[in-house]
Amino acid sequence: MKKITITYWILTVLLIPMFGIGAVVALTGSPAQVEVLTSLGYPAYMLLFMSITKILALIAIFTPGSPKLKEWHMPDLHLM
């Protein structure tokens, strides 16, 4: 069980730069991100919505002891 917990936290900590930096860059309204989003057919205002959603997801993931915010949490894993 200890290996699963360590792996969980390593992968969870790797989410910080992936979600966090992406959300901050999106909040600044990077022209490259606006261009990609509009080329996919989405309006430019979706960039703000998606970056706020990423920040809220990080808060939900790293909030300790709140399984209601999460779809799953570690004590429910019965892999071994």
Side-chain angles (χ1 to χ4, degrees):
M1 188 68 174
K2 189 171 183 167
K3 288 181 183 180
I4 294 173
T5 305
I6 291 171
T7 304
Y8 167 79
W9 281 109
I10 288 172
L11 294 175
T12 302
V13 167
L14 290 175
L15 284 176
I16 293 172
M18 193 170 67
F19 275 29
I21 294 173
V24 170
V25 171
L27 281 174
T28 62
S30 168
Q33 286 189 336
V34 171
E35 180 182 336
V36 169
L37 198 64
T38 55
S39 71
L40 292 172
Y42 293 106
Y45 67 82
M46 285 295 292
L47 194 59
L48 176 64
F49 173 74
M50 290 182 350
S51 58
I52 290 173
T53 305
K54 286 180 185 180
I55 292 170
L56 291 175
L58 280 174
I59 292 170
I61 288 170
F62 288 108
T63 303
S66 60
K68 295 217 183 246
L69 286 177
K70 304 174 188 180
E71 189 173 332
W72 54 270
H73 59 288
M74 279 302 290
D76 289 342
L77 291 178
H78 301 291
L79 300 176
M80 300 207 173

